[in-house]
């Protein structure tokens, strides 16, 4: 019974920071890759950042240098630290277990003045 539970979304002003969290259960957490995706109105869901079981990371070009994905295996949690937020970062953000169709329910991030 895989579950992904997200938190941390909300309304934030441009230039500010936000940290999203995703707690996973029902998996051998340290062996699995996890990723953050986002979907804005009128757009397809896109990969934002991913992290492997070994700690390797990858990022979409649009967020490189601003976002950082990390994981805490003891807490079974993956994080997305989002700095220097822009209005174009506004989207529903989803946590996904790689190589599966297991997704979190999504959390709304709105960047607006």
């Amino acid at each position: 019974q895989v579950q992904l539970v997200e938190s941390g979304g909300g309304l934030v002003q441009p230039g500010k920071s936000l940290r999203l969290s995703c707690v996973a259960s029902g998996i051998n957490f340290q062996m699995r890759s996890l990723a953050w995706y986002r979907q804005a109105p009128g757009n397809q869901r896109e990969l934002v950042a991913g992290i492997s079981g070994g700690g390797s990371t990858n990022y979409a070009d649009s967020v490189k240098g601003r976002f950082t994905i990390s994981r805490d295996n003891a807490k079974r949690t993956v994080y997305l630290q989002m700095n220097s937020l822009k209005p174009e970062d506004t989207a529903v953000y989803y946590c996904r277990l790689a190589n599966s169709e297991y997704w979190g329910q999504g959390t709304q991030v709105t960047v607006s003045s």
Side-chain angles (χ1 to χ4, degrees):
Q1 77 296 11
V2 176
Q3 281 193 311
L4 304 172
V5 181
E6 302 165 343
S7 63
L11 174 64
V12 65
Q13 293 180 321
K16 299 298 184 181
S17 298
L18 206 59
R19 189 177 75 161
L20 306 183
S21 300
C22 174
V23 180
S25 61
I27 63 171
N28 290 323
F29 183 86
Q30 59 265 56
M31 297 182 181
R32 301 300 298 269
S33 296
L34 291 153
W36 288 98
Y37 290 72
R38 67 186 181 187
Q39 188 166 22
N43 290 60
Q44 295 191 50
R45 193 170 298 185
E46 64 174 346
L47 176 66
V48 176
I51 185 165
S52 74
S56 298
T57 60
N58 62 281
Y59 299 91
D61 288 342
S62 59
V63 307
K64 284 182 180 177
R66 299 188 299 120
F67 290 11
T68 303
I69 189 170
S70 62
R71 63 194 297 159
D72 185 332
N73 290 342
K75 296 181 178 180
R76 305 190 310 276
T77 302
V78 61
Y79 303 96
L80 185 66
Q81 178 68 44
M82 304 183 293
N83 298 328
S84 302
L85 282 162
K86 304 174 180 179
E88 49 263 49
D89 296 318
T90 296
V92 179
Y93 284 71
Y94 299 90
C95 181
R96 181 201 177 205
L97 179 66
N99 306 119
S100 81
E101 286 301 325
Y102 290 109
W103 298 80
Q105 292 184 338
T107 183
Q108 177 71 48
V109 173
T110 302
V111 184
S112 176
S113 60

